[in-house]
Amino acid sequence: MALLRVGAPDPDAARKAEEKHVANIMAKTFRTVMTKIESAGLPEAERAQVVARWKVLPREDYGRIRGMMEDWRGMPQAEVFHHAVTNWPEFMDRVKADLDVAWHLRQAGVVVGLAEALEGSHELMTAYLLRDADLLQYQRVAKRVKVKDPRTGITRIERKAGLPGRTHNWWTWRKPHLSLLRRYAHVALRMYLENRGLPDAA
């Protein structure tokens, strides 16, 4: 027996199906990248464990992917995502440069509003997104360094701090983090456009 469904079709059904399809492509890209990075150099048994771990994307990460799709609406979303996660060191270098600008603006007492962020540069957008953030959390833990006085030849110990370095816990150039990519989706879009010689949509 066949059931006949009566009623007008959902006008958004095709759009929703396409969005789900694109999100699944992005999720597969991320799982593939993470599997490759985390299994590199491991024995066969441990590689199998990594493959099994990344067979399914965690629910919260899938939600972040859907959020990025909103940020990249009207753009080739799967391509932008693929470019970011497969060129993660470049993405992180760009984020760090934006954070450096945001830090100096904060230090100078400059407050970036939404209108300025939308009409200005990508650095201003980052500064706006971080307007309520404690930028100290992005600083590298102060470390002791030896400094030699060129005049006296005396070496003294100083403590220096700065913006995040490559050894910081959350600040990693090695493998992608979707929470970071979600927060700085505008940086990923700019990187994609610039590397293809296209105008910055921002």
Side-chain angles (χ1 to χ4, degrees), residues 19 68-78 80 189 192-193 201:
E19 288 178 351
M68 282 181 271
M69 290 178 64
E70 290 294 323
D71 294 330
W72 300 331
R73 188 170 294 281
M75 303 300 296
Q77 298 151 319
V80 176
L189 177 58
Y192 172 83
L193 294 174

PDB file of all heavy atoms in Angstrom, residues 19 68-78 80 189 192-193 201:
ATOM      1  N   GLU A  19      21.691  22.875   1.771  1.00  0.00           N
ATOM      2  CA  GLU A  19      22.500  23.313   2.906  1.00  0.00           C
ATOM      3  C   GLU A  19      23.033  22.107   3.694  1.00  0.00           C
ATOM      4  O   GLU A  19      24.196  22.106   4.121  1.00  0.00           O
ATOM      5  CB  GLU A  19      21.670  24.214   3.822  1.00  0.00           C
ATOM      6  CG  GLU A  19      21.396  25.595   3.231  1.00  0.00           C
ATOM      7  CD  GLU A  19      20.540  26.444   4.144  1.00  0.00           C
ATOM      8  OE1 GLU A  19      20.021  25.889   5.149  1.00  0.00           O
ATOM      9  OE2 GLU A  19      20.384  27.640   3.862  1.00  0.00           O
ATOM     10  N   MET A  68      29.137  28.771  10.278  1.00  0.00           N
ATOM     11  CA  MET A  68      30.022  29.337   9.259  1.00  0.00           C
ATOM     12  C   MET A  68      29.327  29.445   7.914  1.00  0.00           C
ATOM     13  O   MET A  68      29.583  30.373   7.132  1.00  0.00           O
ATOM     14  CB  MET A  68      31.293  28.494   9.144  1.00  0.00           C
ATOM     15  CG  MET A  68      32.295  28.740  10.254  1.00  0.00           C
ATOM     16  SD  MET A  68      33.799  27.756  10.081  1.00  0.00           S
ATOM     17  CE  MET A  68      33.341  26.277  10.970  1.00  0.00           C
ATOM     18  N   MET A  69      28.445  28.527   7.630  1.00  0.00           N
ATOM     19  CA  MET A  69      27.696  28.592   6.376  1.00  0.00           C
ATOM     20  C   MET A  69      26.871  29.874   6.326  1.00  0.00           C
ATOM     21  O   MET A  69      26.722  30.479   5.258  1.00  0.00           O
ATOM     22  CB  MET A  69      26.805  27.355   6.231  1.00  0.00           C
ATOM     23  CG  MET A  69      27.583  26.079   5.979  1.00  0.00           C
ATOM     24  SD  MET A  69      26.504  24.626   5.874  1.00  0.00           S
ATOM     25  CE  MET A  69      25.542  25.029   4.396  1.00  0.00           C
ATOM     26  N   GLU A  70      26.340  30.300   7.468  1.00  0.00           N
ATOM     27  CA  GLU A  70      25.600  31.554   7.521  1.00  0.00           C
ATOM     28  C   GLU A  70      26.524  32.735   7.238  1.00  0.00           C
ATOM     29  O   GLU A  70      26.174  33.663   6.514  1.00  0.00           O
ATOM     30  CB  GLU A  70      24.936  31.718   8.886  1.00  0.00           C
ATOM     31  CG  GLU A  70      23.780  30.779   9.144  1.00  0.00           C
ATOM     32  CD  GLU A  70      22.605  31.057   8.228  1.00  0.00           C
ATOM     33  OE1 GLU A  70      22.344  32.247   7.940  1.00  0.00           O
ATOM     34  OE2 GLU A  70      21.966  30.086   7.783  1.00  0.00           O
ATOM     35  N   ASP A  71      27.738  32.683   7.796  1.00  0.00           N
ATOM     36  CA  ASP A  71      28.706  33.761   7.581  1.00  0.00           C
ATOM     37  C   ASP A  71      29.140  33.846   6.124  1.00  0.00           C
ATOM     38  O   ASP A  71      29.478  34.930   5.630  1.00  0.00           O
ATOM     39  CB  ASP A  71      29.946  33.550   8.455  1.00  0.00           C
ATOM     40  CG  ASP A  71      29.631  33.675   9.940  1.00  0.00           C
ATOM     41  OD1 ASP A  71      28.709  34.433  10.275  1.00  0.00           O
ATOM     42  OD2 ASP A  71      30.301  33.018  10.750  1.00  0.00           O
ATOM     43  N   TRP A  72      29.151  32.699   5.442  1.00  0.00           N
ATOM     44  CA  TRP A  72      29.634  32.649   4.063  1.00  0.00           C
ATOM     45  C   TRP A  72      28.503  32.500   3.058  1.00  0.00           C
ATOM     46  O   TRP A  72      28.725  32.040   1.932  1.00  0.00           O
ATOM     47  CB  TRP A  72      30.615  31.490   3.907  1.00  0.00           C
ATOM     48  CG  TRP A  72      31.818  31.584   4.791  1.00  0.00           C
ATOM     49  CD1 TRP A  72      32.410  32.722   5.265  1.00  0.00           C
ATOM     50  CD2 TRP A  72      32.571  30.498   5.338  1.00  0.00           C
ATOM     51  NE1 TRP A  72      33.493  32.412   6.045  1.00  0.00           N
ATOM     52  CE2 TRP A  72      33.616  31.060   6.116  1.00  0.00           C
ATOM     53  CE3 TRP A  72      32.479  29.104   5.232  1.00  0.00           C
ATOM     54  CZ2 TRP A  72      34.552  30.271   6.779  1.00  0.00           C
ATOM     55  CZ3 TRP A  72      33.409  28.315   5.900  1.00  0.00           C
ATOM     56  CH2 TRP A  72      34.438  28.900   6.663  1.00  0.00           C
ATOM     57  N   ARG A  73      27.306  32.887   3.443  1.00  0.00           N
ATOM     58  CA  ARG A  73      26.159  32.754   2.530  1.00  0.00           C
ATOM     59  C   ARG A  73      26.421  33.549   1.251  1.00  0.00           C
ATOM     60  O   ARG A  73      26.893  34.680   1.288  1.00  0.00           O
ATOM     61  CB  ARG A  73      24.892  33.256   3.206  1.00  0.00           C
ATOM     62  CG  ARG A  73      23.618  32.979   2.394  1.00  0.00           C
ATOM     63  CD  ARG A  73      22.383  33.269   3.213  1.00  0.00           C
ATOM     64  NE  ARG A  73      22.244  32.345   4.335  1.00  0.00           N
ATOM     65  CZ  ARG A  73      21.785  31.099   4.220  1.00  0.00           C
ATOM     66  NH1 ARG A  73      21.445  30.622   3.030  1.00  0.00           N
ATOM     67  NH2 ARG A  73      21.675  30.332   5.288  1.00  0.00           N
ATOM     68  N   GLY A  74      26.122  32.939   0.126  1.00  0.00           N
ATOM     69  CA  GLY A  74      26.362  33.577  -1.166  1.00  0.00           C
ATOM     70  C   GLY A  74      27.750  33.311  -1.716  1.00  0.00           C
ATOM     71  O   GLY A  74      28.078  33.726  -2.827  1.00  0.00           O
ATOM     72  N   MET A  75      28.581  32.630  -0.919  1.00  0.00           N
ATOM     73  CA  MET A  75      29.933  32.290  -1.335  1.00  0.00           C
ATOM     74  C   MET A  75      30.041  30.768  -1.488  1.00  0.00           C
ATOM     75  O   MET A  75      29.176  30.031  -1.009  1.00  0.00           O
ATOM     76  CB  MET A  75      30.947  32.784  -0.297  1.00  0.00           C
ATOM     77  CG  MET A  75      30.884  34.269  -0.017  1.00  0.00           C
ATOM     78  SD  MET A  75      31.202  35.281  -1.494  1.00  0.00           S
ATOM     79  CE  MET A  75      32.898  34.824  -1.828  1.00  0.00           C
ATOM     80  N   PRO A  76      31.094  30.275  -2.155  1.00  0.00           N
ATOM     81  CA  PRO A  76      31.304  28.812  -2.239  1.00  0.00           C
ATOM     82  C   PRO A  76      31.749  28.277  -0.881  1.00  0.00           C
ATOM     83  O   PRO A  76      32.934  28.122  -0.604  1.00  0.00           O
ATOM     84  CB  PRO A  76      32.392  28.672  -3.314  1.00  0.00           C
ATOM     85  CG  PRO A  76      33.127  29.972  -3.284  1.00  0.00           C
ATOM     86  CD  PRO A  76      32.097  31.017  -2.939  1.00  0.00           C
ATOM     87  N   GLN A  77      30.802  28.005  -0.024  1.00  0.00           N
ATOM     88  CA  GLN A  77      31.070  27.714   1.384  1.00  0.00           C
ATOM     89  C   GLN A  77      32.023  26.545   1.584  1.00  0.00           C
ATOM     90  O   GLN A  77      32.963  26.634   2.387  1.00  0.00           O
ATOM     91  CB  GLN A  77      29.740  27.442   2.096  1.00  0.00           C
ATOM     92  CG  GLN A  77      28.802  28.640   2.087  1.00  0.00           C
ATOM     93  CD  GLN A  77      27.340  28.207   2.115  1.00  0.00           C
ATOM     94  OE1 GLN A  77      26.957  27.251   1.450  1.00  0.00           O
ATOM     95  NE2 GLN A  77      26.531  28.920   2.873  1.00  0.00           N
ATOM     96  N   ALA A  78      31.795  25.453   0.859  1.00  0.00           N
ATOM     97  CA  ALA A  78      32.651  24.282   1.027  1.00  0.00           C
ATOM     98  C   ALA A  78      34.084  24.583   0.596  1.00  0.00           C
ATOM     99  O   ALA A  78      35.038  24.086   1.200  1.00  0.00           O
ATOM    100  CB  ALA A  78      32.094  23.109   0.226  1.00  0.00           C
ATOM    101  N   VAL A  80      35.590  27.645   0.651  1.00  0.00           N
ATOM    102  CA  VAL A  80      36.179  28.532   1.654  1.00  0.00           C
ATOM    103  C   VAL A  80      36.648  27.710   2.858  1.00  0.00           C
ATOM    104  O   VAL A  80      37.764  27.901   3.372  1.00  0.00           O
ATOM    105  CB  VAL A  80      35.174  29.610   2.107  1.00  0.00           C
ATOM    106  CG1 VAL A  80      35.767  30.463   3.223  1.00  0.00           C
ATOM    107  CG2 VAL A  80      34.768  30.491   0.928  1.00  0.00           C
ATOM    108  N   LEU A 189      37.346  33.832   4.978  1.00  0.00           N
ATOM    109  CA  LEU A 189      36.761  34.279   3.715  1.00  0.00           C
ATOM    110  C   LEU A 189      37.712  35.219   2.987  1.00  0.00           C
ATOM    111  O   LEU A 189      37.918  35.095   1.774  1.00  0.00           O
ATOM    112  CB  LEU A 189      35.426  34.983   3.970  1.00  0.00           C
ATOM    113  CG  LEU A 189      34.731  35.568   2.737  1.00  0.00           C
ATOM    114  CD1 LEU A 189      34.469  34.488   1.695  1.00  0.00           C
ATOM    115  CD2 LEU A 189      33.433  36.258   3.132  1.00  0.00           C
ATOM    116  N   TYR A 192      40.561  33.257   1.429  1.00  0.00           N
ATOM    117  CA  TYR A 192      40.111  32.548   0.228  1.00  0.00           C
ATOM    118  C   TYR A 192      40.022  33.495  -0.966  1.00  0.00           C
ATOM    119  O   TYR A 192      40.507  33.186  -2.063  1.00  0.00           O
ATOM    120  CB  TYR A 192      38.754  31.903   0.501  1.00  0.00           C
ATOM    121  CG  TYR A 192      38.097  31.315  -0.724  1.00  0.00           C
ATOM    122  CD1 TYR A 192      38.426  30.038  -1.175  1.00  0.00           C
ATOM    123  CD2 TYR A 192      37.138  32.041  -1.433  1.00  0.00           C
ATOM    124  CE1 TYR A 192      37.828  29.501  -2.302  1.00  0.00           C
ATOM    125  CE2 TYR A 192      36.533  31.513  -2.557  1.00  0.00           C
ATOM    126  CZ  TYR A 192      36.880  30.241  -2.993  1.00  0.00           C
ATOM    127  OH  TYR A 192      36.288  29.721  -4.112  1.00  0.00           O
ATOM    128  N   LEU A 193      39.411  34.656  -0.749  1.00  0.00           N
ATOM    129  CA  LEU A 193      39.232  35.608  -1.840  1.00  0.00           C
ATOM    130  C   LEU A 193      40.565  36.163  -2.332  1.00  0.00           C
ATOM    131  O   LEU A 193      40.801  36.264  -3.543  1.00  0.00           O
ATOM    132  CB  LEU A 193      38.325  36.752  -1.383  1.00  0.00           C
ATOM    133  CG  LEU A 193      36.878  36.376  -1.067  1.00  0.00           C
ATOM    134  CD1 LEU A 193      36.127  37.576  -0.480  1.00  0.00           C
ATOM    135  CD2 LEU A 193      36.155  35.860  -2.305  1.00  0.00           C
ATOM    136  N   ALA A 201      34.905  40.668  -0.041  1.00  0.00           N
ATOM    137  CA  ALA A 201      33.473  40.974   0.105  1.00  0.00           C
ATOM    138  C   ALA A 201      33.187  41.824   1.316  1.00  0.00           C
ATOM    139  O   ALA A 201      32.156  42.476   1.425  1.00  0.00           O
ATOM    140  CB  ALA A 201      32.668  39.674   0.191  1.00  0.00           C
TER     141      ALA A 201
END
